[in-house]
Amino acid sequence: MTDQSKTSEKPWGGRFSEPTDAFVERFTASVGFDQRLYHHDITGSIAHATMLAEVGVLTAAERDQIVEGLNGVKADIEAGNFEWSVSLEDVHMNIEARLTDRIGITGKKLHTGRSRNDQVATDIRLYLRDEIDVIAEELKRLQSGLLDVAEREADTIMPGFTHLQTAQPVTFGHHLMAWYEMLVRDAERLQDCRKRVNVMPLGAAALAGTTYPIDRAMTARLLGFDRPTENSLDSVSDRDFAIEFCSFAALLMTHLSRFSEELVLWTSAQFDFIDLPDRFCTGSSIMPQKKNPDVPELVRGKTGRVNGHLVSLLTLMKSQPLAYNKDNQEDKEPLFDTLDTVKGCLKAYADMVPAIRAKADSMRAAAKRGFSTATDLADYLVKKGVPFRDAHEIVGKAVAFGVAEQRDLSEMTLDELAGFSSVIAADVFDVLTLEGSVQARNHLGGTAPGQVRAAIARARQQL
Ligand code: ARG
């Protein structure tokens, strides 16, 4: 093959007098990773050709040939009969070249009135929109699983923590519903992001628009976009929508990472609050007794790369002049890896969460340690007329006594308790029980089992 024939192989080879350096060809190619856009690239091209025929730039016969040809290319790709060529750089030129191989000269008319700059921006948006819908469903599955476990565990008592020290008793259902609330916000952010993903840049062409009488509203309609974008320069260079998605993903992963941390702690022999089924754990090659919570650990670990991708995209866009720059080709790998990671983590969590088993006895025993009802005793004194600061001091003394004696407040005698304050009477034992403590926090957002059940019912309605 001569140099001349090699340069003219490139769709843009006309003005070049020597072939691309072999390394540069590989260095600049994106087909290795953007081929996953093939389906959306073809969908976009079919809509573009349909619109071109509608406005008279293509004949109906040309359009039909192109549409049939593109469907053939898609079938080839899906059947594995497609060899991606690095010398054709990216998914767009690979598909266009194959179309022309299939249908001849008409294939060369497809690119009329568009550029790869608006084409790639359109493809990513179409692809991301579909992936967002998949992620939204998976998120919903996880949320619904969480509600089921929360309902099952609405009465199960565990210690609530601040500073990871025993604070006050809570119900496990209430704790699970805290996770649920985080996911509600994630789901809202995802839908909000989708609105800005679902606008169509096609028609911006290279940067300034095109001289053909295109109908952008029609193409937008054909592709299910809410509307075409307003400004051609912005259309080809905007990647805010990908950054927004990665920002949603970073927060979601941050939440999953927090759940994970708790699951890891709770499965340990030291906490012993929950059990994860064997199918979500793995063993050790040396220590026969080990059952490791690999799924939560990996999810916690994968949060790092997702957070990193957000920073990659922000840094990619920082200082870019208008309009399209080749820098933007670097948007795909962080975005794609974010999508793959988030989908994998959500699937693992949606499958695993309903299988979490609470060890109620162990949780209860832990709630009994650490004087978790000390605030309840202080509130009891206040209700009998003791100022709160004095009540705090009195209970502090009682706790110090309990620490020395290794006994919980509920395990002291009435005489012992009354020794700390003369207002303490036999009814004190009602507030020192774990059940009494959680029952008493009976208001919107509180941990009382009835409130948790009501929160679950509201959540089910909204989901
Ligand atoms: N592969 C390119 C990308 O991902 C497509 C757009 C190329 N445009 C260009 N003018 N070289 O951004």
Side-chain angles (χ1 to χ4, degrees), residues 12 28-31 33-34 37 89-93 115-121 124 206 239 324-332:
W12 42 255
T28 54
S30 56
V31 68
F33 50 85
D34 68 13
L37 296 173
E89 206 174 310
D90 56 25
V91 61
H92 323 291
M93 295 202 293
S115 149
R116 275 183 299 152
N117 298 352
D118 59 343
Q119 187 180 358
V120 70
I124 307 171
R239 294 294 181 275
Y324 176 86
N325 301 286
K326 183 78 167 182
D327 309 40
N328 285 349
Q329 184 164 289
E330 287 289 307
D331 62 357
K332 288 166 205 63

Side-chain angles (χ1 to χ4, degrees), residues 245-320:
F245 175 79
C246 286
S247 154
F248 145 81
L251 261 174
L252 169 69
M253 288 301 296
T254 298
H255 292 152
L256 293 184
S257 160
R258 294 180 66 187
F259 305 175
S260 297
E261 174 68 11
E262 296 198 317
L263 295 181
V264 170
L265 285 173
W266 293 351
T267 50
S268 71
Q270 287 66 29
F271 271 84
D272 197 34
F273 282 3
I274 59 161
D275 193 35
L276 292 177
D278 286 1
R279 64 184 183 282
F280 294 103
C281 299
T282 64
S284 155
S285 55
I286 172 167
M287 296 168 284
Q289 86 284 11
K290 289 299 287 285
K291 174 175 160 183
N292 296 326
D294 288 40
V295 169
E297 288 175 275
L298 263 180
V299 169
R300 186 177 61 187
K302 284 176 187 292
T303 305
R305 66 207 266 173
V306 171
N307 290 355
H309 293 325
L310 171 61
V311 175
S312 294
L313 288 189
L314 284 167
T315 314
L316 172 70
M317 294 313 293
K318 174 190 168 295
S319 318
Q320 266 198 54

Side-chain angles (χ1 to χ4, degrees), residues 372-440:
S372 62
T373 54
T375 318
D376 298 85
L377 180 55
D379 290 345
Y380 168 89
L381 294 172
V382 168
K383 283 169 196 161
K384 300 228 167 183
V386 181
F388 183 77
R389 277 295 152 227
D390 294 341
H392 190 287
E393 173 77 15
I394 292 166
V395 178
K397 296 235 157 69
V399 166
F401 174 71
V403 171
E405 294 271 310
Q406 297 196 358
R407 273 190 288 148
D408 182 50
L409 296 170
S410 63
E411 292 160 348
M412 294 175 192
T413 65
L414 180 54
D415 276 355
E416 282 169 338
L417 287 169
F420 296 102
S421 166
S422 58
V423 304
I424 294 180
D427 60 351
V428 71
F429 292 105
D430 299 341
V431 305
L432 292 183
T433 64
L434 298 173
E435 283 72 16
S437 173
V438 295
Q439 245 358 308

